[in-house]
Amino acid sequence: VRQDWLDRLGLQPPETIDDWHNMLKAFKEQDANGNGDPNDEIPLMTDYSAYPSFADAWGIHIHPAGPRWIEEDGTIKFSPIDPRFKAYLQTMHQWYEEGLLDKEFLTRTDPDLERMAFTDKMGSGQHWVGYMAGYNAREDANKVPGFNFQVVAPPVLNQGDTPGTFRQQS
């Protein structure tokens, strides 16, 4: 998440799915990059392989190559038929419809993410932690005043929930 955008808007790093929604809306509606154009920000940008990371908040595991089985309380469950999967999809659909999730996320590649980050358009991203954490050290980051990407904990549904880590283990 762009810490400099959070600071500009007086926001705290997101913890819950609701926090994420509120942050993304603020990024979209309040000129988070401060360039005077409130319509040029992409609140959440990812490539096709990373968007399932939010499913962890619902305690389910999905993967771009296909859904996954989960073990819960000694029972094996198939994520797509779990009611939490529908709730996750409804939330992602809502974010997409509200313009909070990049409309082109299915076709984005690493160079697209980098271009949008270093032209001050991307407020948050989902990718491997080490990949995005390295953005601050890139020479291109010096071209964006205040550029500061920070890693945040995986989102949870409710304050106090323990973050899931399926994506980090797959």
Side-chain angles (χ1 to χ4, degrees):
V1 172
R2 289 283 299 273
Q3 183 64 49
D4 52 316
W5 287 20
L6 291 173
D7 293 344
R8 186 175 290 119
L9 300 178
L11 300 172
Q12 294 297 311
E15 295 179 19
T16 67
I17 290 296
D18 286 341
D19 292 344
W20 270 89
H21 182 257
N22 294 334
M23 178 195 72
L24 296 174
K25 281 185 66 83
F27 282 2
K28 178 175 175 43
E29 297 171 353
Q30 298 179 28
D31 189 28
N33 63 11
N35 69 354
D37 181 356
N39 300 307
D40 67 344
E41 292 87 355
I42 298 175
L44 174 60
M45 191 170 179
T46 183
D47 66 12
Y48 77 95
S49 69
Y51 76 91
S53 298
F54 282 99
D56 291 346
W58 281 266
I60 57 173
H61 185 201
I62 60 173
H63 190 274
R68 298 285 193 221
W69 297 90
I70 56 174
E71 184 276 326
E72 198 170 67
D73 300 324
T75 303
I76 302 298
K77 298 179 178 181
F78 189 52
S79 292
I81 61 172
D82 189 298
R84 296 172 294 182
F85 187 76
K86 182 177 180 180
Y88 158 73
L89 287 178
Q90 288 172 324
T91 299
M92 294 299 103
H93 175 75
Q94 174 190 351
W95 290 6
Y96 183 85
E97 288 297 314
E98 291 180 15
L100 307 179
L101 176 61
D102 176 29
K103 297 283 186 192
E104 298 179 37
F105 77 94
L106 288 175
T107 60
R108 294 292 190 190
T109 61
D110 289 350
D112 296 321
L113 294 171
E114 293 168 7
R115 183 180 67 255
M116 298 309 277
F118 299 123
T119 57
D120 208 17
K121 306 291 185 208
M122 180 172 71
S124 63
Q126 289 272 295
H127 209 296
W128 292 107
V129 171
Y131 177 80
M132 298 211 59
Y135 275 14
N136 291 336
R138 301 267 302 268
E139 186 176 318
D140 289 334
N142 296 326
K143 298 174 186 173
V144 180
F147 187 92
N148 184 5
F149 245 107
Q150 292 299 314
V151 175
V152 297
V156 295
L157 277 182
N158 304 298
Q159 194 72 36
D161 287 353
T162 302
T165 59
F166 293 118
R167 290 282 298 156
Q168 294 299 320
Q169 297 174 20
S170 62

